[in-house]
Every structure is written in C-alpha cells, then in structure tokens.
Amino acid sequence: LSVLSTVAACLFLVPEQNRAKLHKVLQVIGDIFTFRHLLLGMILRTLYIFMTIFTITAGFLLLFGVRIQHFYIGTFWGGLMTMVLGPIVLRILFEALSLRIMMLDELKQMNRRASAGGNSKMPARPARPRPAVCDDCGTRYDPREDSCPNCGSTYRR
C-alpha cells in the first residue's frame, strides 16, 4: 500500500506540470513533498514554546523543592537560575536554528528567481575596463583616458 501511495504521489503530486490541475489541498500536499515550503520553521517555533514553558515550570518546581518518592530535589538558587537562564539559553539556540532555516529559505527564493529569469534585488555592477600599459614609460593607465598620467604621451588606439 505504501509503495502504491509513493508511486501515485510521484506521478500526480510532484511534477510541476500537474500542479495547476490539482485541488488546493493537493497542491499544499505536493508542496510538502517537493520541499517548496519548509515545515521545520513551524516545528521549531512550537518546540521553542513548549521547551520554554517546560523550563520555567521545572525552575518553579526546583525553586520550592519537589519531593519525589523519598528524595528531595531542588534548591532555591537552582530553580531561580533555571527560570532565568533557561529561557535565555533556549532563545539563543532556537534563534540560531531559525537563522539557518531563514538562510536556506532565502537561498531557495534566490535560486527560484534566477531560474525564472526574474530581476534580482541587487543591480549588476558595470564591468571595469582592464588597465593598459603605456608604451613609452610602462605606467598603467585607464584606457578611457587620452594621455598617460606619468609622461603625457598620447595613446595609440
């Protein structure tokens, strides 16, 4: 069953020429299969919220001390440090991961624009002329000038 589903997805959902004929829901599923839209960003945001709430809750429990079976776990300062530093460390880690995902997404958009022949945001730099050398004195010069800046001889074109 999974082999038949895979073959059907590859034949109907993945090819670009079939995309316009598909229902909106099937287009979204096709986008997921072709990695047009990355789900990792949404998963990371959800995981960040969960981990932050978990860290603050664990810090709160450590703050007042928790008795699990016959063991007393937690100190006031350990709980306070967990509540303060835990979300900060999580934020730094998840921002670093999100930055990587945003870079990948931007790279995909740039590749898509380049393959479509669209205009990029950065204008192309004009080509700089290659420097030439004066026949009389050997000084490098800009070929757009009329005479050598060192010896004053006129250039032969």
Side-chain angles (χ1 to χ4, degrees):
L1 185 60
S2 62
V3 172
L4 292 175
S5 300
T6 304
V7 170
C10 288
L11 290 177
F12 299 113
L13 297 178
V14 174
E16 281 292 320
Q17 62 268 21
N18 295 343
R19 189 175 187 327
K21 301 174 194 171
L22 295 175
H23 188 269
K24 183 80 170 163
V25 173
L26 293 176
Q27 286 180 359
V28 171
I29 293 172
D31 289 347
I32 291 171
F33 284 145
T34 57
F35 296 100
R36 184 182 297 252
H37 302 289
L38 297 177
L39 297 176
L40 192 57
M42 182 178 62
I43 293 169
L44 273 178
R45 285 189 294 273
T46 305
L47 188 61
Y48 167 71
I49 292 168
F50 172 77
M51 292 298 295
T52 302
I53 292 171
F54 179 79
T55 303
I56 291 172
T57 304
F60 184 76
L61 292 175
L62 288 173
L63 189 66
F64 295 107
V66 176
R67 184 174 177 171
I68 299 176
Q69 294 178 352
H70 298 292
F71 298 104
Y72 181 75
I73 299 173
T75 64
F76 177 78
W77 295 110
L80 190 62
M81 295 296 280
T82 303
M83 288 176 67
V84 172
L85 294 179
I88 294 171
V89 170
L90 284 173
R91 181 67 184 210
I92 291 170
L93 290 174
F94 279 93
E95 277 192 21
L97 290 172
S98 296
L99 184 62
R100 297 283 299 217
I101 291 170
M102 288 189 302
M103 288 171 46
L104 178 64
D105 196 32
E106 185 65 28
L107 183 64
K108 282 176 49 180
Q109 289 178 6
M110 288 170 49
N111 285 337
R112 196 174 298 134
R113 281 193 303 256
S115 66
N119 296 332
S120 66
K121 293 179 182 177
M122 295 177 51
R125 291 191 304 183
R128 293 170 57 190
R130 287 185 26 200
V133 178
C134 177
D135 292 333
D136 295 336
C137 67
T139 302
R140 289 180 175 231
Y141 66 91
D142 185 356
R144 294 175 291 191
E145 296 178 10
D146 292 334
S147 62
C148 176
N150 188 33
C151 67
S153 65
T154 57
Y155 300 131
R156 293 172 279 239
R157 297 185 185 210

